[in-house]
């Protein structure tokens, strides 16, 4: 098809001579005259060097293919480890360690490529477990000390004197129910 002004449309295929001149080869179909044929290498281009072979029999993925299937284990391990450190405790720490080891195993087998996330998840899981253990230990020791102090007769007497002194200044008396409970507690201790 030609343009009304006599020029050729950009959508028309280039016009080729019907017969090639003597000494020329016939270009393959779809080739543009003066340019190398598609998918053929020109004599001036060099072939790209080959990369290293893939380890452990892994095959490369085609362009746009899905990522490696077990990469989510490393991410889960990292997230659970961070939650363990932030206070979610032993349960998320144990889960972080388990998924971290599975992530590292998948990376060694060539099924995943983020073993470092799994390692960080393992470390943060252990740190979270240690942190929780220390915190629970302090709470238990504090509860034992508080229970010991509250049951100490000297502490109870000091508390009663302090309470009576505070009430004595204002002229108020102790609540009758509280006074009855305190007497029962004193009888239990003595009897």
């Amino acid at each position: 098809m030609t343009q009304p002004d006599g020029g050729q449309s950009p959508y028309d295929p280039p016009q080729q001579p019907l017969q090639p001149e003597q000494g020329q080869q016939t270009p393959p179909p779809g080739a543009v005259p003066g340019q190398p044929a598609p998918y053929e290498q020109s004599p001036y281009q060099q072939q790209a060097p080959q990369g290293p072979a893939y380890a452990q029999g892994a095959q490369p993925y085609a362009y746009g293919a899905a990522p490696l299937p077990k990469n989510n284990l490393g991410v889960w391990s990292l997230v659970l480890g961070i939650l363990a450190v932030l206070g979610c405790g032993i349960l998320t720490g144990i889960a972080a360690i388990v998924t971290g080891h599975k992530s590292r195993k998948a990376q060694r087998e060539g099924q995943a490529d983020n073993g470092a996330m799994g390692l960080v998840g393992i470390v943060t899981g252990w740190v979270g477990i240690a942190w929780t253990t220390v915190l629970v230990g302090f709470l238990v020791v504090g509860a034992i000390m508080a229970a010991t102090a509250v049951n100490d007769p000297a502490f109870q007497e000091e508390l009663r004197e302090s309470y009576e002194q505070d009430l004595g200044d204002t002229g108020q008396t102790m609540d009758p129910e509280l006074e009855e409970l305190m007497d029962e507690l004193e009888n239990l201790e003595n009897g």
Side-chain angles (χ1 to χ4, degrees), residues 57-140:
Q59 297 295 320
Y61 286 104
Y63 177 74
L68 295 168
K70 292 194 176 182
N71 277 345
N72 57 354
L73 289 174
V75 174
W76 273 109
S77 177
L78 180 63
V79 169
L80 290 169
I82 290 172
L83 288 174
V85 169
L86 293 178
C88 289
I90 293 176
L91 294 178
T92 57
I94 291 171
I97 292 168
V98 170
T99 54
H101 282 294
K102 287 185 176 185
S103 170
R104 302 274 294 167
K105 181 180 177 185
Q107 190 250 345
R108 281 190 303 270
E109 293 174 354
Q111 297 175 349
D113 63 356
N114 64 347
M117 276 190 182
L119 180 62
V120 173
I122 292 169
V123 170
T124 55
W126 279 114
V127 169
I129 288 173
W131 174 253
T132 303
T133 304
V134 168
L135 183 64
V136 168
F138 279 132
L139 290 175
V140 167

Side-chain angles (χ1 to χ4, degrees), residues 128-171:
I129 288 173
W131 174 253
T132 303
T133 304
V134 168
L135 183 64
V136 168
F138 279 132
L139 290 175
V140 167
V141 169
I144 290 172
M145 290 175 65
T148 304
V150 168
N151 289 330
D152 185 25
F155 175 77
Q156 290 176 358
E157 185 62 35
E158 185 179 320
L159 184 65
R160 178 179 287 210
E161 288 175 6
S162 171
Y163 186 70
E164 287 175 357
Q165 186 179 27
D166 289 343
L167 290 178
D169 293 343
T170 61

